[in-house]
Amino acid sequence: MQTKLKPIELSNMRYRLGYHVSAKSGWINDPNGFIFFKGYYHIFYQHHPYSAEWGPMHWGHARSKDLVHWETLPIALTPGDTEDKDGCFSGSAVIKDGKMYLIYTGHHYYEGDSDPEHFWQNQNLAISEDGIHFEKYENNPIIASAPEDNTQHFRDPKVWYNNGSWYMILGSQSSVDELGRVLTYKSKNLIDWDYLGPITKSNDLKTEGFMWECPDFFRLGDKDVLLMSPEGIEEDEFRFRNENETGYMTGNFSYDSNRFDHSNFQELDSGHDFYATQTTLAPDGRRLVIGWMDMWGSVMPEQEDGWAGALTFPRELTLKNDKLYMNPVSELKKLRTGEVISDSFEINGFKKLDYNGNHYEAEINFDNADKSGITLTTDNEELLKITYSKDNSHVVLKRPGKDGIREAVIMPAKTLKFHLLVDTSSVELFVNDGEATFTERLYTEDKVSLNLLSQGKVSYDIYQLEKNAVKY
Ligand code: FRU
C-alpha cells in the first residue's frame, strides 16, 4: 500500500470522544505497552497516522498522571527498519534499570508477494530514558524467528519479571494442528531469550480458536490468569458473537514445568466492541486493563471523518470465584465536573429522563431487577436497549440492525445495579459491580435521551464528565 507522508486531517468532529483515548487523527487498534513509569501511566496503541484505515503499524502514544487526563505524545515507534519493515505490531513495556523497554513484533511481507497472509514475524526491543523518545535496540531482533512447529502467526509479546528472570508470552499458531497456543521464553537481560515451549494450547478450532492474539499473563488473587484474544471461535448460543473474542482462563502456572492447568475459555466483555486487551500492575497493586473499543469487521462511521478507533476507559480487574470482574478505575471521579442529577422514584414500566448529555456517568439502582434496564433513544429511534430478565438471568443488549443482540448471564439477581459511561460515540455498561460488562460504539448526531425501564423503585445519580480530558 502507498502511504502519504502527511498525517490525515480530521474533517468532522461529530463523533470525537471526550474522555477516551483515540489518535490525533488516523487509525488505531490494540492498546500496547501499558505501564507506569516515572510518575506517568503510559499507553501506546497500534496506529496508522496516514489514513483512517489499518496500514503499516506505528505505535501511537499517550501518558497520564491519573489514568483519566491524557496527553498525546509523539509517535513512539515507526516501522520500516530491517527488523520491522512492514509494521511494529503489538507488544508490551517493562521497566529495567530506570529505563522503559518496549518489546514488540516486527511484521514482514515477502518481497514481490502481495498475499497479506504471506508474512513472517520476529520480536524486537526499543528503549527510552525519558518515556518520550525511543531508540530501537541496535542488535534487533531479540527473537529472530518462530519455533519450527509454528506457522507465520508469532506475535504480541507480553513480558513480566518473576523471581530474578524475565518471562515473555507470545501468541502463536502450531503448524501441526493449526490451532492457537501461547509460548513462553525466559531471559536474564531482555536481550537473550531461551524458548521454554507452549504453556497451553487450543483444544479445538470451534471452541478455542486458531490463533491466540495479544496474550497477557498475570497473578490475580490466588490464581494465574491467561487473558487473550483468540481468532476463529464459533458462536455458541448467546456467546462468542463477535468476529474475534477477548477472554480468559484461570488456573495455576508452574514456572518449573512451564505448565498452565486451567479452566475453560470465558468471554471477558459481552458487547460488540471490545478486543485485544492489555493489563498492567498499578503502583498500588491494582491490575488494570484497557482494550480496543472496536472490533475487526465493525462498521466505523468515523472513518469518513479522518480517524478510526479508540481505547476503552481504564478498568480494574478483580477475581471472584474464578470469574473476572471489570469496573471503571476509581479515578473516574476526577472527571466529574460537579454537575450531578440525582433522583429516586417508583416506575411502572418506562420513564424518560429529562437528560441529554453526551459525556456522563450514571449509577442506577433498580430495587426490582426483573425486566429492568435502560434504553438510549433519539426522537425517532431506539439506539440501545439493555435489560435483565429473571427467567434465565440474562442481561440482553439490543441495538438496531443486523447482528444487534449481545447477552451475558449473571447470577440470579433480585436487585440490579447499572454503572454506565457514555461518551460522544461510545457506551460502556458495568452490571452489578462488574459481573457483566458491555462495550459499544454508538453513532448518532441527534440528541440522545436516557430512559429507565422497571417495575418498582429506581434511584440514580448522573454525573456530567469532562469532555476535553484527552489533549491532542
Ligand atoms: C490484534 C492484532 C495483533 C497484531 C495487531 C496488528 O488486533 O491483529 O495480533 O499485533 O493487531 O495491528
Side-chain angles (χ1 to χ4, degrees), residues 30-31 213-216 226-231 233 240-249 265-271 273-279 289-292 294-296 317 324 326 437:
D30 317 356
E213 297 190 311
C214 302
D216 198 331
L226 174 63
L227 176 62
M228 79 295 204
S229 299
E231 296 181 89
I233 295 185
F240 311 136
R241 286 196 177 151
N242 291 339
E243 182 160 319
N244 301 334
E245 346 285 335
T246 289
Y248 62 97
M249 297 164 162
F265 180 77
Q266 298 188 58
E267 234 167 332
L268 181 57
D269 182 286
S270 303
D273 296 294
F274 183 82
Y275 195 60
T277 43
Q278 167 109 178
T279 77
V289 65
I290 292 187
W292 178 32
D294 284 284
M295 174 53 67
W296 296 112
L317 280 175
L324 282 182
M326 277 197 292
T437 62

Side-chain angles (χ1 to χ4, degrees), residues 87-90 104-107 121-124 154-157:
C88 299
F89 273 22
S90 285
Y104 68 98
T105 297
H107 188 66
Q121 301 182 317
N122 61 9
Q123 317 308 326
N124 298 296
F154 180 63
R155 60 178 173 272
D156 308 340

Side-chain angles (χ1 to χ4, degrees), residues 205-352:
L205 172 62
K206 288 187 186 162
T207 57
E208 295 187 341
F210 67 81
M211 163 60 192
W212 290 359
E213 297 190 311
C214 302
D216 198 331
F217 199 53
F218 50 88
R219 186 113 188 129
L220 194 59
D222 58 355
K223 286 283 160 66
D224 296 302
V225 180
L226 174 63
L227 176 62
M228 79 295 204
S229 299
E231 296 181 89
I233 295 185
E234 277 187 11
E235 180 173 338
D236 174 21
E237 293 178 51
F238 63 93
R239 296 187 175 86
F240 311 136
R241 286 196 177 151
N242 291 339
E243 182 160 319
N244 301 334
E245 346 285 335
T246 289
Y248 62 97
M249 297 164 162
T250 62
N252 288 299
F253 178 60
S254 158
Y255 280 91
D256 293 332
S257 63
N258 196 47
R259 239 184 91 121
F260 180 48
D261 293 317
H262 56 78
S263 60
N264 290 338
F265 180 77
Q266 298 188 58
E267 234 167 332
L268 181 57
D269 182 286
S270 303
H272 287 88
D273 296 294
F274 183 82
Y275 195 60
T277 43
Q278 167 109 178
T279 77
T280 195
L281 195 61
D284 60 11
R286 286 176 298 169
R287 178 58 59 173
L288 307 178
V289 65
I290 292 187
W292 178 32
M293 194 161 62
D294 284 284
M295 174 53 67
W296 296 112
S298 289
V299 178
M300 301 176 187
E302 74 263 35
Q303 283 179 312
E304 273 180 37
D305 304 341
W307 66 288
L311 304 183
T312 65
F313 192 77
R315 303 167 182 192
E316 182 178 352
L317 280 175
T318 47
L319 190 70
K320 246 187 264 172
N321 301 327
D322 272 357
K323 182 180 156 56
L324 282 182
Y325 284 61
M326 277 197 292
N327 282 292
V329 294
S330 55
E331 287 87 343
L332 172 61
K333 293 193 176 69
K334 296 184 190 218
L335 288 180
R336 294 178 182 167
T337 60
E339 281 170 70
V340 50
I341 308 172
S342 305
D343 210 343
S344 141
F345 38 62
E346 290 280 329
I347 303 188
N348 184 6
F350 173 91
K351 179 157 172 95
K352 178 171 173 174

Side-chain angles (χ1 to χ4, degrees), residues 95-120:
I95 311 301
K96 179 174 172 284
D97 305 329
K99 295 182 191 157
M100 195 198 303
Y101 286 71
L102 305 182
I103 308 98
Y104 68 98
T105 297
H107 188 66
H108 305 257
Y109 295 113
Y110 294 97
E111 203 72 37
D113 183 340
S114 59
D115 184 338
E117 279 307 303
H118 290 174
F119 60 79
W120 60 276

